[in-house]
Amino acid sequence: MSLERIDKILSGQGFGSRKDVRRFLHGGTVLVNGKAVYDPAVKVDDEKDEISIDGQILKIQKNLYIMLNKPKSTVCSNKSQNPDLQTVFDLLDLDLPRKLPGGDLHCTGRLDADTTGLLLLTTDGALTHRLISPKTHVPKTYAVGLRDSVDEKSKSEYIQKFKDGIHIPPEDGENACDCQSAELVWKDCGEYVCELTIYEGKYHQVKRMFKAVGNEVVALKRLSMGSLKLDENLAPGEYRDLTEEEVSSL
């Protein structure tokens, strides 16, 4: 049984602040199991009790799943320490719920300020754990732009080095480590010259791996995470809810 105050439930479902909801309740249009509820402190089982408003049954939204095409110069945190950088949460509509019964809205697998592409925002902590846990080995694919051009012979050498696993030295207080085997595919996509699929999520991993082989990443865009692929119809900074099929596949 999951009991929660009625005002907290309604506020979390987008009916305004808890103060707004208290005024709303006084109107007598909120029913729980067919009986009017006026007291905001009344506790309700959001899994078993039927809540209706103005005659319409309320379907409780437990979690939120959002795909965002992250633009450059945004950070994956609630507050930015740099006045020149927005947070990804600044890109969301103000009336979008930031807390639901499943938890607080958060980023699943953070991206650096200058990294773009697929970012999943959700309130589902269990899903986030599955996607980013080192034990699950969820693949993440990135489009990569490099400082130095790579000839055909060196391309083959790069592929083998990444397949064998690359040792990356310490950086910014992070320990040196051996990265797992990764899949490198060369492509000619404008500023992006290759795609790299990794199965871990170490600090600045993609950048450090290319640095370890003598090159430098100058553009980085996440294309996919597990079965979820970036919707290319989303312009940088735009977002949409995941479809039921996308959520189920995760």
Side-chain angles (χ1 to χ4, degrees):
M1 181 177 291
S2 175
L3 294 177
E4 196 69 82
R5 285 175 56 120
I6 186 67
D7 60 343
K8 186 175 180 181
I9 291 174
L10 295 180
S11 178
Q13 296 300 304
F15 288 92
S17 67
R18 289 170 77 168
K19 185 177 180 180
D20 294 332
V21 169
R22 286 195 288 273
R23 289 197 295 266
F24 187 54
L25 286 166
H26 292 159
T29 58
V30 179
L31 307 183
V32 176
N33 299 325
K35 295 182 179 180
V37 173
Y38 301 92
D39 184 355
V42 167
K43 290 194 174 181
V44 177
D45 185 338
D46 60 15
E47 295 181 354
K48 296 181 179 179
D49 292 328
E50 181 183 274
I51 304 171
S52 63
I53 301 173
D54 289 328
Q56 298 294 317
I57 296 175
L58 177 65
K59 183 179 179 181
I60 300 294
Q61 185 178 12
K62 292 284 188 180
N63 281 303
L64 194 62
Y65 303 91
I66 294 173
M67 177 192 299
L68 170 71
N69 186 355
K70 180 186 175 297
K72 288 185 178 180
S73 302
T74 54
V75 293
C76 295
S77 60
N78 290 309
K79 292 183 179 180
S80 175
Q81 302 300 317
N82 185 333
D84 296 325
L85 300 178
Q86 280 186 306
T87 79
V88 293
F89 296 97
D90 293 330
L91 303 174
L92 306 178
D93 291 339
L94 293 177
D95 59 355
L96 192 74
R98 305 301 171 102
K99 184 177 179 64
L100 286 175
D104 294 330
L105 189 63
H106 60 273
C107 299
T108 299
R110 296 185 172 192
L111 298 176
D112 297 337
D114 59 349
T115 301
T116 64
L118 175 65
L119 183 65
L120 173 63
L121 298 126
T122 184
T123 55
D124 190 340
L127 174 62
T128 294
H129 178 72
R130 287 199 303 274
L131 291 175
I132 68 175
S133 172
K135 297 179 180 179
T136 55
H137 307 293
V138 173
K140 307 166 196 67
T141 300
Y142 296 82
V144 184
L146 295 173
R147 177 195 63 198
D148 302 328
S149 59
V150 182
D151 60 34
E152 292 303 317
K153 178 182 177 183
S154 297
K155 284 181 179 179
S156 298
E157 293 173 351
Y158 270 59
I159 289 172
Q160 189 60 50
K161 287 179 179 179
F162 278 88
K163 183 178 180 180
D164 292 341
I166 290 177
H167 177 80
I168 54 177
E171 182 178 310
D172 296 341
E174 295 290 324
N175 293 330
C177 61
D178 294 316
C179 296
Q180 297 175 7
S181 176
E183 300 163 16
L184 179 65
V185 177
W186 292 98
K187 299 199 171 201
D188 184 9
C189 304
E191 67 176 319
Y192 301 107
V193 296
C194 61
E195 291 181 6
L196 181 69
T197 300
I198 61 175
Y199 297 85
E200 343 165 61
K202 301 183 186 301
Y203 177 76
H204 288 176
Q205 182 174 343
V206 175
K207 295 176 181 177
R208 292 165 73 189
M209 291 174 83
F210 278 99
K211 185 176 181 180
V213 296
N215 214 321
E216 181 181 340
V217 172
V218 295
L220 190 61
K221 178 181 182 180
R222 184 156 63 191
L223 302 176
S224 66
M225 181 166 52
S227 61
L228 187 63
K229 299 182 185 303
L230 176 65
D231 184 342
E232 294 292 352
N233 291 319
L234 291 175
E238 291 185 343
Y239 63 92
R240 66 165 173 81
D241 292 333
L242 263 60
T243 65
E244 291 184 5
E245 290 77 15
E246 286 171 332
V247 174
S248 297
S249 71
L250 291 171

